Amino acid sequence: MYEGILKRGSLRRRLGIIVLYLVLIGGLVWLGAAVPWAGTAFVLLLLGGFTVAKYRARKYNFTDDQEIPIDAIDSVIAREGNTILTRPRFVVRYNADDERKRRYVMLPSRLYAGTESAYETGKQLFRRHGIDVTEADGWL
């Protein structure tokens, strides 16, 4: 599903992404230098965001299992994502160890060429194995 996605992006697109990150990092450095408490606030927000993400992952029983047997999968929710804010992903619901679990399968950013075809290929692969794929509304 991932084959060639990162290789297919045009040089112009890659340079645009690099420039975007450089501008964001430069803005954060400038803000940290201009406002004395901004650096501390940024670190606290970053740590708080990480803590909330970990809490939500545990609360909703998300796992980091590398392999999930096809027979254990109940359903898949496909989310297209937004071009800049969120990535396309599949939420795989499955049973393991007498417990219902979920796993995110993330795709590369939509800024890369070929991500749309990988998303469609992923849906087709799940359906080919008889797994129900539900398209979720919205990009969050």
Side-chain angles (χ1 to χ4, degrees):
M1 193 163 51
Y2 285 103
E3 274 183 42
I5 290 177
L6 300 179
K7 295 177 186 173
R8 283 188 263 186
S10 69
L11 180 61
R12 184 179 206 170
R13 180 174 281 179
R14 289 183 194 172
L15 288 175
I17 293 169
I18 291 170
V19 168
L20 175 67
Y21 283 128
L22 289 175
V23 167
L24 288 174
I25 291 169
L28 289 173
V29 169
W30 175 82
L31 184 65
V35 182
W37 53 265
T40 304
F42 177 71
V43 169
L44 290 175
L45 285 173
L46 193 63
L47 289 174
F50 179 75
T51 304
V52 167
K54 281 301 221 182
Y55 168 75
R56 286 183 50 101
R58 284 191 185 150
K59 178 181 177 188
Y60 295 109
N61 209 11
F62 280 96
T63 68
D64 59 355
D65 294 344
Q66 295 298 313
E67 294 183 15
I68 302 170
I70 292 286
D71 301 342
I73 297 175
D74 292 332
S75 64
V76 175
I77 298 173
R79 293 194 175 269
E80 282 190 50
N82 182 293
T83 303
I84 295 175
L85 297 177
T86 58
R87 295 169 24 188
R89 63 202 171 275
F90 298 102
V91 181
V92 179
R93 294 179 180 183
Y94 65 101
N95 295 311
D97 303 325
D98 297 327
E99 192 174 355
R100 187 171 171 97
K101 297 183 177 184
R102 292 190 242 179
R103 170 81 163 102
Y104 274 125
V105 178
M106 304 295 287
L107 294 173
S109 170
R110 296 179 71 84
L111 296 173
Y112 288 107
T115 301
E116 184 64 35
S117 64
Y119 178 73
E120 294 301 323
T121 302
K123 290 192 299 187
Q124 290 172 3
L125 287 172
F126 284 121
R127 287 183 177 134
R128 190 177 305 150
H129 287 284
I131 299 168
D132 180 37
V133 178
T134 306
E135 300 254 1
D137 291 334
W139 47 271
L140 286 174

